[in-house]
Amino acid sequence: MALNKKAEFSEDTRVLAEFSKALAHPARLAILQTIAERNECICGEIVDVLPLAQATVSQHLRELKEIGLIQGEIEGKKSCYCVRWARLQELETALLSFLENLKRYKKPLVEDCC
């Protein structure tokens, strides 16, 4: 889709699409879960947990950081990351709102259309 066409969608739809894009890789979900479990995480520890190379983990961390779901600081060779809980709440609100809106169109007693 051309960039100029994105403007034709609602802000809520664009925001949810950006969140979805950032979470669309299983490695990013695993990274987010790992950081949340440990409350703060050094990048090397993430590499130890996942079957990915350091460079790949760094790329996924960058994607999560760009959307604002994590924040981090580089201290020499160490990179410490933590979950931005307020931003995660924004994701939850956006997703729940979208799903509730979809449910408005569900007809009673109809599970699937085909």
Side-chain angles (χ1 to χ4, degrees):
M1 178 183 320
L3 289 175
N4 59 353
K5 295 288 184 177
K6 285 184 180 180
E8 296 183 29
F9 295 93
S10 73
E11 176 68 17
D12 290 344
T13 301
R14 290 192 310 265
V15 167
L16 188 55
E18 289 298 317
F19 275 127
S20 298
K21 182 180 173 187
L23 295 174
H25 196 289
R28 292 186 201 128
L29 294 173
I31 289 168
L32 191 59
Q33 183 173 359
T34 299
I35 294 171
E37 286 171 356
R38 297 182 184 194
N39 200 22
E40 189 169 284
C41 196
I42 298 170
C43 188
E45 291 177 23
I46 297 170
V47 172
D48 292 342
V49 173
L50 301 175
L52 302 171
Q54 172 68 51
T56 305
V57 170
S58 293
Q59 184 178 9
H60 289 302
L61 285 164
R62 184 173 56 249
E63 292 287 334
L64 292 170
K65 193 172 179 182
E66 283 178 10
I67 195 68
L69 290 172
I70 63 172
Q71 61 187 14
E73 297 178 9
I74 298 173
E75 300 170 4
K77 292 185 177 185
K78 295 180 183 178
S79 299
C80 299
Y81 293 94
C82 63
V83 174
R84 291 188 62 216
W85 295 104
R87 187 73 168 143
L88 196 63
Q89 180 64 50
E90 291 175 32
L91 165 60
E92 181 180 12
T93 300
L95 184 57
L96 289 176
S97 175
F98 177 77
L99 294 174
E100 286 300 318
N101 189 43
L102 286 182
K103 287 182 192 177
R104 294 184 318 153
Y105 302 107
K106 182 181 177 200
K107 295 178 182 167
L109 304 176
V110 176
E111 286 300 313
D112 295 312
C113 65
C114 299

